[in-house]
């Protein structure tokens, strides 16, 4: 089996700047400046800058190596990705350059393939009209997630001495001078002169400590080295990474300040579930009123909703950045198309137009929000602000939308109607809407070329087959790409129901006529023309923006065969039918899909599974088979004379006498009213988020005297590095999503009276608090009245839960961000049916010489 997803690039790859639908500044070629009020403006016209985009790392480190391992032409990879970035409306690019790969230990610039590929990337971005801010010094070595091989000055000087060791300072000064004076062989420009590079950020995420004097001196010296080249572009400096010395940066002679945002932490090891919109409702900066701060421009060099693939986070983040006064924001990091099948570049990040289509469309929408929302504009708090300007964001629907007279963008199937269908010029989305009904899962784009003539671009189907945020490997695809013929129905007023469809990209010879607005399409680019509309003049080479109509880039089908993804329900209720839904790829209408269900060592029944959507199949196990005990089940695919059984994709089926494979799914069947486990340390450790909240706290897993697993919440001793926490302040917490467990027990919800916690408090440990959070982010808390050092089952009545601020765990980064969120208005009483997240929080007690602990075995509804 070929593990590399071969890449297809068809059509000419000239420069292409896609028309922007929303109100925003026009494309600019000139430089920028920072005015006396700290506003970044274009030199030409003096308009405010508002640019939104991504980081992208193909020229360096792991991406560079992995592209080589897969045999991918790196220049072609860059062209493909930059094309997709342009399709997503990206107009900003930022990268911390891996200086360790293009310098020696003295700071001399090394002319090598990394630098050449960076130059090529810069040229490709500028051809697309994408503006650039470069951070010449990364301080990182190049290994992650492999071994380091970089040999530049950052390989011998760590961040702690980079600003104090005279040799390190001299090396950085020398390197900055040579980097800015480097001439790009593709653009023919020196870096400091290149109009496409609008600013420089000196260094990436420096680590500083008191005193402040050396910090300011170093920042001034590095900014001076940049300006000594003749560069008059703005110089930015990071203020978020070492907030304890923020005064040192505010006093530095730099033009702008840089920030990052990881609202629910990093590297959770699994996909985070639940409503994280309260985490991104605001981005308050603690020194926003300082006059020194107001005089400097602000940019977010990195942001991401890490470990979250939901397509709702980016528009809120973009809006919150604008409220905070930021004029530049770039997500970290867009996955190269050639690597996105496995998400190996950065496990905690996952964004690619072909592989995460809905999330990618949300980036398109977020960019439009960033450009439309005014700097400093204030909004009501979540959830009252779910609709703002031309945008709507819904966690419940997993949907982001932009709806203007000219453009209609959406991340999934929506019932919203465009505000002015006859005025539409751009449509982009996934799923179905009033304008497009599409049966596949890939993204699509419609752009009006002339009255009755549109360009249609369709990406392949993308189906998640593994958790993309778990441990990754190039040998393990997490998303499967399939090239299918899918039904398409257009409802564009000027196109009508009998439009013609003509393939434009290389190898696409489709000629079709719609009936009732319906037609079938495969991935590619098409010309759509109303009946009777002369469109022969439009060819693949026809200009489109600054490119051509026939451009198209997409990954080849993933050579895996049928794939299944499924997580069994936590419980089933005896005497009630059990509906099971399974993701299955590779099955056609001529194939047979069966669910084989068996009460453990009892009755077995084969049930036909029906397709409920592309790659989704469902069947209902009858109530007669769902009696107390255990139901186990398999999916059987009969295809082309062969039979495969899942899990495992084994030949044969469970009824065969020699089917010896033990793999199966199973679900326990409980009596109505039985306790519902919300958290069990043994069963849920890989699905929960358990972390320290401050510098004193951490978590661990231990065993009980009976051998069961328990989560240990720890408050460590106070010392110089771990100052004592305020009494009662959260020091460690558990968070777990249980919405899926609750859904299967809907009939029992009215009978539950209490939350029961099996817990063992250590001597001197602080207070323990439970929190139930709803789908709308409202939180309700109650204390756990523990007494004594022994294991105990503590009953907390549901009536004891009261509205409380939501604790934002995993903890947002940077550390100056708020740790709690309180929605405006009165949330009312707790409705258990709306709850979906449990938090168990250990509060601080007076710290001693030894750690203080609380052990938690389980939490259940009873």
């Amino acid at each position: 089996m070929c593990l590399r997803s071969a890449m297809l690039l068809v059509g000419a790859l000239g420069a292409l700047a896609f028309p922007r639908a929303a109100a925003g500044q026009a494309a600019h070629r000139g430089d920028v400046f920072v005015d006396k009020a700290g506003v970044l403006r274009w030199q030409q016209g003096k308009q405010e800058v508002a640019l939104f985009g991504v980081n992208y790392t193909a020229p360096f480190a792991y991406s560079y190596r992995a592209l080589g391992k897969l045999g991918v032409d790196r220049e072609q990879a860059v062209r493909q990705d930059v094309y997709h970035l342009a399709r997503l409306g990206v107009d900003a690019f930022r990268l911390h350059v891996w200086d360790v790969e293009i310098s020696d230990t003295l700071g001399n610039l090394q002319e090598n393939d990394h630098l050449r590929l960076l130059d090529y990337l810069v040229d490709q971005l500028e051809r697309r009209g994408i503006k650039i801010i470069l951070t010449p010094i990364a301080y990182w070595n190049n290994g992650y997630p492999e071994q380091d091989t970089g040999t530049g000055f950052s390989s011998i000087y760590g961040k702690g001495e980079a600003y104090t060791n005279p040799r390190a300072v001299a090396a950085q000064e020398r390197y900055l001078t040579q980097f800015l004076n480097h001439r790009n062989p593709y653009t023919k420009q020196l870096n400091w002169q290149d109009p496409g590079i609008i600013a420089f950020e000196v260094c990436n995420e420096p680590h500083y400590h008191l005193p402040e004097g050396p910090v300011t001196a170093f920042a001034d010296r590095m900014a001076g080295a940049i300006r000594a080249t003749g560069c008059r572009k703005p110089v930015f400096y990071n203020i978020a990474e070492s907030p304890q010395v923020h005064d040192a940066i505010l006093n530095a002679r730099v033009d702008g300040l840089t920030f990052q945002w990881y609202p629910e932490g990093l590297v959770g090891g699994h996909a985070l579930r639940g409503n994280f919109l309260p985490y991104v409702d605001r981005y308050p900066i603690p020194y926003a009123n300082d006059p020194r701060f107001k005089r400097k421009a602000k940019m977010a060099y990195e942001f991401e909703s890490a470990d979250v693939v939901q397509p709702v986070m980016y528009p809120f983040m973009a809006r919150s950045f604008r409220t905070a006064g930021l004029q530049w924001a770039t997500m970290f990091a867009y996955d190269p198309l050639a690597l996105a099948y496995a998400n190996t570049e950065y496990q905690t990040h996952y964004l690619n137009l072909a592989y995460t289509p809905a999330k990618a469309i949300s980036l398109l929408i977020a960019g439009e929000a960033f450009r439309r929302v005014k700097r400093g504009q204030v909004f009501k708090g979540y959830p009252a602000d779910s609709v703002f300007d031309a945008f709507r964001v819904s966690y419940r629907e997993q949907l982001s939308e932009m709806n203007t007279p000219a453009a209609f963008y959406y991340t999934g199937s929506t019932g919203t109607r465009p505000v002015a269908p006859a005025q539409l010029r751009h449509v982009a989305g996934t799923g179905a809407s009033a304008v497009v009904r599409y049966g596949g899962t890939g993204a699509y784009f419609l752009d009006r070329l002339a009255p009755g003539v549109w360009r249609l671009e369709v990406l392949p189907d993308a189906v998640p087959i593994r958790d993309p945020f778990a441990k990754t490997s190039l040998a393990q695809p997490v998303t499967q790409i399939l090239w299918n013929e899918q039904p398409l129905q257009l409802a564009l007023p000027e196109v009508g129901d009998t439009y013609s469809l003509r393939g434009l990209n290389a190898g696409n010879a489709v000629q079709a006529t719609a009936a009732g607005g319906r037609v079938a399409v495969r991935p590619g680019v098409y010309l759509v023309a109303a009946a009777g509309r002369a469109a022969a003049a439009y060819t693949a080479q026809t200009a489109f923006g600054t490119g051509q109509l026939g451009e198209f880039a997409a990954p080849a089908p993933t050579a895996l065969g049928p794939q299944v993804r499924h997580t069994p329900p936590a419980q089933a209720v005896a005497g009630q039918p059990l509906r099971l839904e399974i993701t299955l790829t590779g099955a056609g209408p001529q194939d047979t899909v069966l669910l084989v269900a068996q009460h453990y060592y009892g009755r077995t029944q084969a049930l036909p599974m029906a397709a409920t959507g592309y790659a989704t199949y469902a069947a209902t196990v009858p109530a007669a088979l769902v009696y107390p005990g255990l139901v186990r089940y398999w999916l059987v695919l009969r295809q082309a004379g062969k039979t495969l059984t899942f899990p495992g994709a084994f030949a044969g089926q469970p009824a065969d006498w020699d089917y010896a494979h033990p793999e199966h799914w199973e679900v326990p069947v409980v009596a109505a009213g039985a306790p519902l486990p919300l958290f069990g340390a043994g069963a849920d450790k890989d699905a929960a988020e358990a972390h320290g909240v401050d510098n004193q706290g951490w978590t661990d897993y231990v065993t009980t005297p009976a051998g069961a697993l328990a989560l240990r919440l720890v408050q460590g001793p106070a010392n110089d590095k771990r100052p004592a926490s305020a009494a009662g302040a959260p020091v460690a917490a558990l968070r777990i999503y249980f919405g899926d467990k609750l859904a299967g027990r809907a009939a029992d919800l009215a009978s539950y009276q209490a939350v029961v916690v099996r817990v063992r408090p250590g001597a001197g440990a602080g207070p323990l608090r439970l929190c139930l959070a709803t789908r709308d982010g409202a939180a309700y808390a109650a204390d756990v009245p523990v007494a004594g050092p022994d294991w105990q089952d503590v009953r907390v009545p549901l009536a004891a839960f009261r509205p409380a601020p939501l604790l934002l765990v995993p903890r947002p980064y940077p550390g100056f961000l708020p740790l709690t969120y309180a929605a405006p208005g009165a949330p009312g009483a707790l409705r258990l049916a709306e709850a979906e997240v449990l938090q168990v929080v250990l509060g601080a007690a007076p710290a001693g010489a030894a750690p203080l602990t609380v052990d938690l075995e389980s939490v259940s509804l009873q």
Side-chain angles (χ1 to χ4, degrees):
M1 177 176 63
C2 176
L3 293 172
R4 180 174 66 89
S5 183
M7 313 312 296
L8 300 182
L9 183 67
V10 289
L13 275 166
L16 176 59
F18 294 100
R20 184 163 294 119
Q25 74 270 350
H28 291 267
R29 290 292 296 172
D31 286 336
V32 300
F33 70 99
V34 179
D35 69 15
K36 294 181 180 179
V39 179
L40 192 65
R41 297 184 181 276
W42 298 104
Q43 287 282 6
Q44 182 180 352
K46 306 301 185 287
Q47 300 104 318
E48 289 191 17
V49 173
L51 297 169
F52 187 88
V54 300
N55 288 247
Y56 168 75
T57 68
F60 296 104
Y62 173 80
S63 283
Y64 181 91
R65 297 191 303 270
L67 292 172
K69 289 178 182 177
L70 296 176
V72 174
D73 181 308
R74 294 186 178 99
E75 289 188 6
Q76 176 174 298
V78 166
R79 292 195 300 271
Q80 291 173 323
D81 291 323
V82 174
Y83 169 74
H84 279 177
L85 294 178
R87 271 278 46 167
L88 292 172
V90 162
D91 56 13
F93 168 84
R94 181 263 182 186
L95 175 66
H96 61 62
V97 176
W98 268 264
D99 55 273
V100 76
E101 292 190 317
I102 60 170
S103 72
D104 64 16
T105 57
L106 299 177
N108 293 302
L109 190 68
Q110 304 296 293
E111 297 283 347
N112 58 27
D113 199 50
H114 296 289
L115 183 60
R116 183 200 63 79
L117 194 60
L118 173 63
D119 291 336
Y120 183 79
L121 171 59
V122 166
D123 179 61
Q124 290 296 308
L125 291 165
E126 292 182 3
R127 289 172 180 267
R128 305 283 181 177
I130 298 172
K131 295 300 182 181
I132 300 164
I133 293 180
L134 292 179
T135 305
I137 301 173
Y139 290 130
W140 309 116
N141 211 309
N142 66 346
Y144 181 87
E146 301 168 322
Q147 295 298 311
D148 291 335
T149 59
T151 57
F153 61 84
S154 288
S155 69
I156 59 173
Y157 302 117
K159 290 186 179 185
E161 65 173 326
Y163 74 107
T164 57
N165 184 318
R167 293 188 297 274
V169 174
Q172 291 169 88
E173 193 171 44
R174 184 176 298 111
Y175 167 75
L176 286 172
T177 301
Q178 295 182 19
F179 183 84
L180 265 75
N181 280 315
H182 168 69
R183 187 176 299 278
N184 185 318
Y186 300 98
T187 66
K188 311 303 181 185
Q189 299 278 344
L190 299 178
N191 280 342
W192 70 265
Q193 294 176 324
D194 192 332
I197 303 174
I198 66 169
F200 293 92
E201 181 194 25
V202 172
C203 52
N204 183 72
E205 298 181 354
H207 288 176
Y208 298 136
H209 53 77
L210 295 172
E212 294 178 338
V215 178
T216 302
F218 176 78
D220 287 347
R221 184 167 173 179
M222 295 302 103
I226 290 175
R227 295 183 179 120
T229 65
C231 179
R232 295 298 176 262
K233 302 177 188 293
V235 176
F236 284 80
Y237 212 92
N238 185 296
I239 195 172
E241 188 72 8
S242 298
Q244 67 272 23
V245 295
H246 70 269
D247 276 320
I249 308 303
L250 290 174
N251 288 330
R253 292 191 294 273
V254 296
D255 306 292
L257 305 170
T258 72
F259 299 86
Q260 79 274 63
W261 197 7
Y262 296 112
E264 63 287 319
L266 289 165
V267 196
H270 59 266
L272 302 182
R273 297 191 293 169
N275 187 352
F276 289 96
L277 290 176
Y279 289 57
V280 292
D281 194 63
R282 51 184 176 151
Y283 189 80
I285 299 172
Y287 23 87
N289 294 322
D290 190 303
R292 297 167 297 174
F293 179 84
K294 292 181 178 181
R295 291 193 295 268
K296 299 184 190 298
K298 297 91 183 172
M299 67 172 274
Y301 64 96
E302 289 181 12
F303 70 89
E304 169 64 318
S305 55
D307 302 312
V308 174
V309 79
Q310 301 175 32
V312 296
M313 300 288 281
Y314 291 154
F316 260 41
M317 297 181 81
R319 191 203 59 199
S320 296
F321 279 140
R322 292 298 280 157
T323 296
L326 277 67
Q327 295 182 259
W328 172 288
T330 38
M331 173 267 173
F332 188 93
Y334 187 84
D335 286 87
L337 187 63
L339 307 180
Y341 74 93
N343 193 32
T344 52
E345 186 192 37
Y346 289 98
Q347 168 191 340
T348 197
H349 308 280
Y350 198 29
L351 177 66
N352 180 274
L353 174 57
Y355 288 89
T356 64
K359 189 175 181 181
I361 296 296
S362 78
L363 187 86
L364 166 65
I365 294 168
E368 298 289 356
F370 193 83
R371 289 179 283 268
R372 289 179 66 98
V373 171
K374 293 181 174 60
R375 179 176 51 85
Q377 187 174 350
V378 177
F379 298 87
K380 297 178 180 179
Y382 180 80
D385 57 357
S386 296
V387 178
F388 63 97
D389 195 86
F391 305 93
R392 183 171 79 94
V393 177
S394 172
Y395 165 73
R396 289 173 179 258
E397 298 176 63
Q398 285 296 289
L399 182 67
S400 297
E401 294 176 343
M402 186 188 86
N403 195 355
T404 71
F408 186 33
Y409 301 149
Y410 43 90
T411 61
S413 294
T414 176
T416 301
R417 303 192 66 83
V419 294
Q423 298 179 44
L424 278 177
R425 296 297 181 266
H426 308 284
V427 178
T430 70
S433 72
V435 179
V436 182
R437 300 195 67 84
Y438 180 58
T441 63
Y444 50 79
F445 300 84
L446 278 159
D447 296 284
R448 189 178 188 265
L449 305 178
V453 182
W454 291 67
R455 180 187 188 267
L456 167 68
E457 182 172 359
V458 180
L459 275 292
D461 295 320
V463 181
I465 57 175
R466 289 184 180 88
D467 187 336
F469 306 115
K471 190 171 180 63
T472 60
S473 166
L474 286 173
Q476 179 175 277
V478 299
T479 302
Q480 187 177 13
I481 294 293
L482 301 105
W483 284 52
N484 297 300
E485 186 173 84
Q486 296 285 12
L488 173 78
Q489 182 178 8
L490 300 182
L492 294 167
E494 66 179 36
V495 167
D497 288 343
T498 57
Y499 56 85
S500 64
L501 193 77
R502 172 162 56 91
L504 288 175
N505 56 290
N508 186 355
V510 167
Q511 298 268 1
T513 301
R518 297 178 178 85
V519 72
V521 296
R522 287 177 60 81
V525 175
Y526 300 87
L527 190 76
V528 175
R533 180 69 168 85
Y538 293 95
T539 70
Q541 289 74 41
T542 299
F544 179 49
T546 55
Q548 297 176 329
L549 287 180
E551 293 191 86
F552 183 64
T558 315
L560 289 176
Q563 295 290 303
V564 164
R565 187 179 186 188
H566 175 66
T567 300
Q571 290 180 340
V573 179
Q576 296 183 12
L578 172 61
R579 187 175 187 274
L580 296 168
E581 192 170 87
I582 300 177
T583 297
L584 167 67
T585 65
Q590 72 283 1
D591 301 325
T592 300
V593 183
L594 299 173
L595 181 79
V596 176
Q598 179 187 63
H599 198 280
Y600 198 75
Y601 290 138
R603 181 183 169 194
T604 302
Q605 190 169 352
L607 306 164
M609 300 197 77
T612 58
Y614 175 68
T616 304
Y617 293 80
T620 299
V621 180
L625 205 61
V626 187
Y627 53 90
L630 195 68
V631 170
R632 56 182 184 174
Y633 56 97
W634 302 259
L635 181 146
V636 175
L637 172 63
R638 294 175 181 165
Q639 183 179 65
K642 297 181 179 180
T643 300
L644 290 177
T645 294
F646 298 87
F650 299 114
Q653 56 189 337
D656 296 339
W657 73 269
D658 59 349
Y659 189 85
H661 307 288
E663 290 83 355
H664 63 276
W665 296 294
E666 62 184 32
V667 54
V669 181
V670 301
L676 174 62
L678 302 183
F679 169 74
D684 295 320
K685 64 183 182 303
D686 293 330
E689 296 87 53
H691 304 282
V693 179
D694 68 0
N695 288 329
Q696 267 194 286
W698 69 87
T699 61
D700 198 357
Y701 281 93
V702 297
T703 52
T704 71
L709 203 64
L711 172 67
R712 173 162 288 179
L713 305 173
V714 185
Q715 177 186 349
N719 54 42
D720 292 341
K721 293 184 178 180
R722 292 176 175 166
S725 302
V731 293
L734 161 77
R735 177 191 181 276
I736 186 165
Y737 174 85
F738 63 82
D740 49 355
K741 297 179 181 180
L742 216 60
R745 300 292 301 277
D748 288 335
L749 295 187
S751 68
Y752 291 127
Q753 300 296 317
V755 178
V756 176
V757 184
R758 182 153 182 79
V759 64
R760 177 177 61 185
L768 198 65
R769 171 166 281 204
L770 298 179
C771 175
L772 296 174
T774 72
R775 286 180 284 181
D776 291 327
Y780 298 82
D783 292 331
V784 181
V786 294
D790 299 324
W791 279 102
Q792 52 198 282
D793 291 321
V794 182
R795 185 178 177 89
V796 182
L798 287 172
F801 284 80
R802 295 287 185 268
L806 176 68
L807 181 66
L808 303 183
V809 289
R811 201 193 202 297
Y813 192 83
F816 61 68
L817 290 170
L819 190 54
T820 61
Y821 181 78
L830 170 66
R831 294 179 58 220
L832 187 58
E834 292 293 304
E836 65 171 15
V837 167
L838 167 72
Q839 294 178 351
V840 183
V841 184
L842 174 63
L852 306 176
T853 65
V854 169
D855 295 338
L856 180 69
E857 184 178 339
S858 65
V859 181
S860 62
L861 281 171
Q862 295 186 17

